[in-house]
Amino acid sequence: MTDVASAVVVLKTLTLLLGGSITFYAFKAYRRTGSVALRALTLGFGAITLGSLLAGIVDQVLPLDPNLALVVESAFTTVGFGVILYSLYVE
């Protein structure tokens, strides 16, 4: 594995751990309060984290064009940020 590929694996792992933690705590807060905004926040961070995981799988495991990993991650990030933005406006 090259230095760049190793760095990507390390950074994707950290993203998964941090994003998973944020999603977990947002979900706990949602369960405690029942807030629609916190539910949306959980889904938004979950989408971003899932996108990062799937992009890593596409890039490192599947025999697909590596550019597809960028498209997958960008799509999930866009959806995730859209849901997070929604969570800031919902009551």
Side-chain angles (χ1 to χ4, degrees):
M1 211 186 288
T2 67
D3 289 340
V4 172
S6 296
V8 169
V9 169
V10 168
L11 291 170
K12 289 291 182 194
T13 301
L14 290 172
T15 299
L16 180 61
L17 292 172
L18 293 171
S21 296
I22 292 167
T23 303
F24 173 74
Y25 286 113
F27 180 73
K28 279 182 62 172
Y30 159 67
R31 292 285 300 215
R32 187 176 59 252
T33 65
S35 167
V36 174
L38 285 173
R39 181 182 65 204
L41 187 68
T42 300
L43 292 173
F45 277 114
I48 293 169
T49 304
L50 179 63
S52 182
L53 173 65
L54 292 176
I57 290 170
V58 168
D59 185 47
Q60 296 293 317
V61 178
L62 299 178
L64 299 171
D65 181 0
N67 289 322
L68 182 59
L70 182 59
V71 172
V72 167
E73 185 168 25
S74 296
F76 275 85
T77 299
T78 300
V79 169
F81 279 133
V83 175
I84 290 170
L85 180 63
Y86 169 78
S87 79
L88 297 172
Y89 288 100
V90 72
E91 292 186 25

